[in-house]
Amino acid sequence: APGPWSVLGLAPGTAKEEIKAQYRKLAAIEHPDRNSGDPRAAERFRNISDAYQELMEPPVKVFVASDKSIRKSADTAPGPYAESLKSIGLTEKDARNLFTSVALVGATVTLLGFFGILLYSE
């Protein structure tokens, strides 16, 4: 099976902007709706889409951590808010812990309020 670079007709190391442009060009040409009489059009379109996705998304490697749990390397990649959090002195882990704590407190207050209404409504 041909690799993603050859499916898109690009040289390895092509810039992401060029990959995106070539994908859009080929997707428009090979889209099944534009080739309704061609039974292989859907397969060609799928191959183009898969190649684009493979080249544009970071590779996900599965490894076994020291505690024997399976994690994906994408889990450790910086998220979309990493820079903003860093500018206020927080890590993503800190923000997750804070969010979890706030959510738990909110849920607890909501439940206590609900049960309070039940107890005092009689």
Side-chain angles (χ1 to χ4, degrees), residues 29-107:
I29 293 169
E30 297 295 343
H31 196 280
D33 291 345
R34 296 187 81 182
N35 297 286
S36 58
D38 186 352
R40 297 200 53 214
E43 180 183 346
R44 287 193 308 270
F45 181 76
R46 191 175 327 104
N47 289 341
I48 291 166
S49 297
D50 290 346
Y52 174 73
Q53 187 173 16
E54 184 176 334
L55 294 176
M56 295 301 281
E57 291 185 1
V60 176
K61 297 178 183 175
V62 175
F63 64 93
V64 178
S66 60
D67 63 352
K68 303 291 184 198
S69 63
I70 296 177
R71 299 185 56 205
K72 295 181 180 180
S73 63
D75 292 343
T76 60
Y81 302 108
E83 288 299 316
S84 299
L85 290 169
K86 187 177 179 182
S87 71
I88 60 171
L90 288 174
T91 65
E92 289 182 88
K93 186 176 180 180
D94 294 336
R96 257 190 309 275
N97 290 341
L98 179 63
F99 177 77
T100 302
S101 298
V102 170
L104 288 173
V105 168

